[in-house]
Amino acid sequence: MELTLHVSLGEGSCAKQPMSRKRSYSVLPGFGLTMGYTLTYLSLIVLIPLAALIVRAASMSLEQFWAAAFNPRVMASYRITFGTSLVAALVNSVFGFIVAWSLVRYRFVGRKLLDALIDLPFAIPTAVSGIALTAIYDRNGILGHTLFQWGIKSALSPLGICIALTFISLPFVVRTLQPALEEMDGESEEAAMCLGASRWETFRRVIFPALFPSLLTGFALAFARSLGEYGSVVFISGNLPMKTEITSLLIITKFEQHDHLGATAIAIVMLVASFAILMSINGLQWYLAKKFRG
Amino acid sequence: MSVENKHGIQDPLWVQWTLITITIGFVAIFLALPVAIIFAEALKDGLKTYAIALKDPAAWSAIHLTLLVTAISVPVNTVFGLAASWAIAKFEFKGKSLLLTLIDIPFAVSPVISGFIYVLLFGLQGWFGQTLSDWGFKVIFAVPGIVLVTIFVTFPFVARELIPLMQEQGNDEEQAAISLGAKGWQTFFYVTLPNIRWGLLYGVILCNARAMGEFGAVSVVSGSIRGKTATLPLHVEVLYNGFNVPAAFAMASLLALVGLLTLALKTYLEWKVKQQRRELALVNE
């Protein structure tokens, strides 16, 4: 089983798991050329720039790093970013599950269109989504108008950030769950029903446990994406330091104040967080693959 | 509503109706409404808004810059994607999964951080910044920086689509071509390329959509100098923050249109790839 992640658009839809196929020594030419090119290009575009960040961070003393990465304003931005990302990922786990379930299991008019629409957040530039969401949830927006009257601050608030992050990260949950739902065979649930389990019990004890790893993966991907999101959030959030300032924005603010060390320290913390999340997904998938292979 | 028996036991009708209603409601409010509102806002005063927005030379320069950046970064990443997938899918070597992980890195790095690492390299305080500026070459707050970060954020798209596809197709056809005396390039152009064309196109349009729409990374390195280093998404931001909201939505609607086109093409290509895969499975049987 291939264990690397597809965090890309159209996850799982086009890039299915490759068949494992034993290959003998290849007679094809071009390995040296393509491999050399790949490694050179990878180093120039990805590895050296990343190394610049790490070297810059290593040049700081521990106290310096600590003061830059964990001062009160930065801590507040972590709380807001991680908190809203968590809420968005949880909301999407619930609704994404329902959406994926309906799209795979039921047949209704407009299903194909709905399925295609799921990828909208990937296809629309984040800045465009940002101003669109603000136009909807702002005090004068079509939904915001009513929500504000009810005393619900749907913009310039953490709730506004949650809305933007929910929009941006929905496809991750749906696109991770869909292949898992499609691959499920009906036999085990039929067996459970025949043995006298109720529909709800069958769902809880047979179907849900089988889908849980995919749900968890989708949740983690959505969470990781939300942590770094910038464009869709900055218009709706209001960007008030200590209150609605997300970490991505704080990095830009530090950088604009020529505080490169401050920005570096925060960037390192966020980078470590997102790598840790993605690695734990990889670990989880590796563990499950091993478990099921026996 | 028709019944489908493939997936286990059917849910009771009231459950189906409830879940379908939630699905449609959620997708309509959370996904469709934002897109609808872009066009509604842009067309509020008819096409006049477009005429005014497009009279601004800054708009044209933004469109021009966006097209330029895309025209450089997409082909560059396509060539890389082809090279990487050939090396990874057609050959066995140690460290393959490490290489795959490294190629995925740009997806795991947030846009703002992607932009920032290039500032650390090429900014005036950066590794190469001073030398380059002595030579009179500006990267940050200039077009080269925008191109570089766009290449970074769209780096894995084509490779990520092609590697699994090529692995699945195997080497048999290429080996046959080589043993019949075809040259390496001939094999690639006449055997491999036709086989992967839909997957390749799929990767390219995704790469293209992201390249045109990238905001966070670009806004770090560009400095958003109106009429000079503002791409279309940055121009939208400048207009919006300058309280020229109708023009902002008019420009945003152009980007949204590209997004919708991408979505339509993508759906079509997925269908094509699925069809091709089914044919392949049939041949293998």
Side-chain angles (χ1 to χ4, degrees):
Chain A
M1 192 178 160
E2 167 114 336
L3 294 175
T4 38
L5 288 169
H6 299 261
V7 197
S8 68
L9 201 152
E11 140 119 20
S13 44
C14 189
K16 273 258 163 134
Q17 306 285 354
M19 284 182 261
S20 55
R21 184 190 285 213
K22 278 258 179 244
R23 266 194 296 275
S24 52
Y25 172 73
S26 185
V27 295
L28 300 180
F31 180 70
L33 176 71
T34 53
M35 192 53 147
Y37 183 74
T38 301
L39 290 178
T40 312
Y41 189 67
L42 176 73
S43 307
L44 286 177
I45 296 295
V46 179
L47 301 181
I48 293 174
L50 264 184
L53 180 73
I54 293 160
V55 168
R56 180 60 70 91
S59 74
M60 301 164 84
S61 73
L62 206 59
E63 292 85 46
Q64 253 181 329
F65 181 85
W66 199 264
F70 300 108
N71 68 51
R73 183 172 171 190
V74 183
M75 287 303 282
S77 85
Y78 294 149
R79 267 196 297 278
I80 293 152
T81 306
F82 281 80
T84 51
S85 299
L86 191 68
V87 172
L90 285 172
V91 169
N92 278 332
S93 298
V94 175
F95 285 96
F97 191 94
I98 296 173
V99 170
W101 181 274
S102 304
L103 288 177
V104 173
R105 290 221 163 197
Y106 306 148
R107 291 292 170 270
F108 51 95
V109 181
R111 186 183 64 95
K112 289 237 163 83
L113 178 71
L114 226 59
D115 193 17
L117 285 181
I118 299 296
D119 283 326
L120 264 177
F122 286 144
I124 305 287
T126 53
V128 175
S129 322
I131 64 169
L133 290 169
T134 312
I136 296 171
Y137 294 100
D138 203 10
R139 192 180 291 277
N140 305 317
I142 37 170
L143 295 181
H145 181 67
T146 320
L147 290 169
F148 270 80
Q149 271 181 354
W150 293 345
I152 302 169
K153 283 192 72 178
S154 54
L156 312 181
S157 65
L159 177 64
I161 304 176
C162 288
I163 291 171
L165 295 179
T166 305
F167 171 83
I168 215 72
S169 62
L170 174 72
F172 288 99
V173 178
V174 178
R175 293 298 186 228
T176 318
L177 275 171
Q178 269 177 325
L181 270 161
E182 264 155 23
E183 272 165 33
M184 260 173 79
D185 57 7
E187 280 171 30
S188 44
E189 42 185 301
E190 271 162 28
M193 294 283 266
C194 290
L195 291 170
S198 72
R199 183 71 192 141
W200 173 243
E201 259 178 319
T202 312
F203 176 78
R204 207 165 53 95
R205 297 186 178 227
V206 178
I207 301 174
F208 190 74
L211 293 174
F212 187 69
S214 306
L215 183 63
L216 204 60
T217 306
F219 169 85
L221 288 174
F223 184 64
R225 167 69 200 256
S226 295
L227 287 183
E229 182 53 26
Y230 173 72
S232 61
V233 175
V234 283
F235 295 98
I236 200 173
S237 67
N239 307 327
L240 224 60
M242 308 298 289
K243 290 218 172 79
T244 56
E245 184 178 53
I246 54 164
T247 309
S248 287
L249 179 73
L250 192 56
I251 294 175
I252 290 200
T253 310
K254 295 269 178 200
F255 155 70
E256 278 173 353
Q257 294 164 346
H258 301 287
D259 180 6
H260 280 202
L261 286 183
T264 304
I266 304 170
I268 287 281
V269 171
M270 294 310 279
L271 215 53
V272 168
S274 64
F275 279 140
I277 293 165
L278 295 176
M279 264 156 67
S280 49
I281 308 174
N282 265 338
L284 174 85
Q285 292 188 336
W286 177 80
Y287 169 78
L288 289 169
K290 212 177 87 169
K291 199 172 141 192
F292 285 117
R293 219 182 281 143
Chain B
M1 199 180 315
S2 72
V3 178
E4 225 227 350
N5 285 323
K6 193 181 122 204
H7 298 293
I9 291 145
Q10 245 201 30
D11 295 322
L13 224 53
W14 68 269
V15 174
Q16 294 198 16
W17 279 107
T18 315
L19 294 184
I20 289 172
T21 311
I22 294 174
T23 298
I24 294 175
F26 191 77
V27 172
I29 292 176
F30 265 89
L31 299 183
L33 184 62
V35 180
I37 206 93
I38 297 165
F39 291 101
E41 290 278 334
L43 292 166
K44 222 194 290 187
D45 301 318
L47 290 170
K48 215 170 60 198
T49 323
Y50 285 91
I52 296 168
L54 287 174
K55 229 176 234 162
D56 185 358
W60 284 106
S61 113
I63 292 171
H64 182 245
L65 182 59
T66 297
L67 292 177
L68 174 74
V69 169
T70 313
I72 299 172
S73 52
V74 173
V76 164
N77 280 335
T78 305
V79 172
F80 160 72
L82 286 168
S85 54
W86 182 269
I88 291 171
K90 301 287 180 198
F91 300 91
E92 291 302 328
F93 55 91
K94 269 205 181 121
K96 192 186 265 195
S97 59
L98 175 70
L99 185 57
L100 282 168
T101 310
L102 292 179
I103 289 175
D104 266 348
I105 283 181
F107 280 152
V109 179
S110 78
V112 168
I113 297 178
S114 312
F116 183 63
I117 58 177
Y118 276 88
V119 173
L120 288 181
L121 265 190
F122 296 110
L124 272 184
Q125 305 178 28
W127 284 0
F128 310 123
Q130 198 57 55
T131 324
L132 287 173
S133 121
D134 290 346
W135 295 345
F137 194 69
K138 221 172 144 196
V139 176
I140 300 304
F141 302 136
V143 177
I146 300 175
V147 173
L148 279 172
V149 295
T150 307
I151 291 176
F152 179 90
V153 294
T154 57
F155 181 84
F157 277 103
V158 179
R160 257 289 155 226
E161 284 313 323
L162 288 185
I163 293 166
L165 185 65
M166 276 191 170
Q167 277 177 332
E168 196 175 315
Q169 286 174 342
N171 292 0
D172 302 349
E173 290 184 35
E174 281 85 357
Q175 274 165 355
I178 295 281
S179 61
L180 289 172
K183 295 233 165 47
W185 287 110
Q186 284 175 318
T187 311
F188 175 74
F189 279 111
Y190 293 109
V191 179
T192 310
L193 208 53
N195 275 339
I196 59 169
R197 64 187 189 279
W198 298 119
L200 177 64
L201 198 58
Y202 185 91
V204 168
I205 61 158
L206 300 195
C207 186
N208 178 70
R210 180 70 193 266
M212 289 184 107
E214 179 52 33
F215 179 67
V218 171
S219 75
V220 174
V221 296
S222 89
S224 262
I225 305 162
R226 232 177 113 84
K228 273 211 175 123
T229 60
T231 58
L232 206 40
L234 292 173
H235 185 60
V236 169
E237 186 199 23
V238 171
L239 289 172
Y240 189 83
N241 289 339
F243 302 104
N244 195 350
V245 177
F249 274 102
M251 289 291 115
S253 71
L254 297 181
L255 285 166
L257 207 60
V258 174
L260 289 177
L261 272 175
T262 305
L263 219 55
L265 250 173
K266 173 181 167 299
T267 312
Y268 171 73
L269 287 173
E270 266 162 21
W271 175 75
K272 267 284 178 208
V273 170
K274 220 180 255 174
Q275 205 182 28
Q276 201 187 12
R277 189 171 278 130
R278 216 174 296 138
E279 280 163 19
L280 188 80
L282 231 72
V283 171
N284 282 347
E285 269 170 26

